[in-house]
Amino acid sequence: MNLILDTHTFLWQSIEPESLPKTTFRILESKESSLWVSTATLWEIGILISLKRIELKITISKLVEQSSLDAGI
């Protein structure tokens, strides 16, 4: 199943997986799921950071790299 993650789901999957509902977490972790993120999501994260609505402890590029390795996004 191909899934494109919205901004919040991508952030929670990457940084706070415990914030996801259990059913959502199971679907995202399933080997049958292919996870995708739009470049618009990365753009939105950049905007949220610049507006100081969120703060990341790592750069967006590291977040993408980590998510790719950890979750196959």
Side-chain angles (χ1 to χ4, degrees):
M1 171 182 353
N2 287 315
L3 303 170
I4 186 161
L5 306 182
D6 70 359
T7 304
H8 287 97
T9 305
F10 172 63
L11 287 171
W12 287 340
Q13 167 74 13
S14 302
I15 299 170
E16 297 179 27
E18 66 277 358
S19 296
L20 292 167
K22 290 179 184 179
T23 302
T24 303
F25 183 79
R26 281 195 304 270
I27 291 169
L28 296 177
E29 292 294 311
S30 169
K31 293 189 185 291
E32 297 175 7
S33 297
S34 294
L35 307 179
W36 300 87
V37 174
S38 167
T39 54
T41 294
L42 305 177
W43 173 69
E44 184 177 4
I45 292 170
I47 291 172
L48 292 170
I49 291 169
S50 71
L51 295 173
K52 300 190 186 320
R53 297 210 28 224
I54 65 170
E55 185 177 322
L56 297 179
K57 296 179 182 177
I58 60 175
T59 65
I60 294 174
S61 60
K62 285 288 184 189
L63 177 67
V64 170
E65 181 181 330
Q66 174 186 327
S67 298
S68 177
L69 294 172
D70 294 345
I73 296 175

